[in-house]
Amino acid sequence: MSQQVSVFIMDVSNSSVEHIGNEISEYLAQIRGSLTEWTQYTVETRVSHRAGDELVVVCKGYATAYVLAFYISRIWKFTDHRPYFGLSFGDIETDVGTLNLETWIHPLMKQARQANDYLKNQANRNLFRFALPRSQAEQGYTVYHEQFESLINTSLTLKQEHLNGQTDVQSLVCSLYLILGQQNKVSQYLGRTTATISHHIKQGKTQVILQAFDDMVKVLGSLEETDKTFLMDKLQSNMKQQIRHHLDAYLPKEGSST
């Protein structure tokens, strides 16, 4: 039976720099564990950590891989070694739970790799890029897969401009606001006034960035045969709860200097 899934292939910038490779590899093993915890009992997901600095994820739902990738990007601690994600989504005939990602060959993996390679060759690298496969029996959104791909990547590029314009503290506030959901909670955590947090949210375009993320998730979900909005809400709620339980580890108050 056909399953609607999404894929990402993640690499890390400048991971071959001396003295950092092993640390990044160990950190990716932790991220793999986090992905397992985040998706357990919510969305069937397969994760593979390979080649030292690469993560591969396949999961049910057209929006799921992008949701997971976005959260990883928000909690990532190595500011000089950013992750970047090649993504795709579509239908497969194999159950996600039975996939062996080390040997699985599929057009979705090819497209995710293509998107990842595109980012790898960018001078000013974006965090995310989608590449969509052509369907043999084009129907629904697949009739316009090239147009969808172009619109999605244009939206991601515009969002990237806002992300690139954030200061370190604005980026931290953006991440905390995503996880905590309220300005006063961000204020309490950082020990700053709500007026200061409000200023960072406004200047860092936090509302614009998070709204663009929400809109992307809704659009990807709307392309599925059955509306999975409730499932994405449940997944994000579970992720936020687990991150909040270890907030100092994920988003330390002083930010990351690594």
Side-chain angles (χ1 to χ4, degrees), residues 43-48 56-59 95-101:
V43 182
E44 195 164 23
T45 303
R46 300 290 287 175
V47 185
S48 175
V56 178
V57 168
V58 180
C59 40
D95 185 80
V96 171
T98 66
L99 290 178
N100 181 348
L101 298 189

Side-chain angles (χ1 to χ4, degrees), residues 90-91 107 132-145:
D91 298 351
L132 305 185
R134 178 183 294 275
S135 173
Q136 294 299 318
E138 291 191 344
Q139 55 187 349
Y141 81 89
T142 62
V143 176
Y144 304 102
H145 70 280

Side-chain angles (χ1 to χ4, degrees), residues 157-219:
T157 298
L158 292 174
K159 180 160 70 75
Q160 188 71 47
E161 290 297 313
H162 292 309
L163 290 169
N164 292 344
Q166 289 184 325
T167 64
D168 288 344
V169 67
Q170 288 167 358
S171 178
L172 176 59
V173 167
C174 181
S175 297
L176 287 168
Y177 189 68
L178 168 68
I179 302 304
L180 299 176
Q182 296 179 18
Q183 292 188 32
N184 65 326
K185 290 184 178 180
V186 178
S187 171
Q188 292 169 10
Y189 180 71
L190 293 179
R192 304 194 183 191
T193 66
T194 53
T196 297
I197 298 305
S198 179
H199 176 76
H200 285 313
I201 286 175
K202 182 177 180 180
Q203 294 300 312
K205 302 293 192 297
T206 288
Q207 301 282 15
V208 176
I209 291 166
L210 297 186
Q211 186 62 58
F213 165 69
D214 287 338
D215 289 345
M216 181 71 73
V217 173
K218 290 176 183 176
V219 167

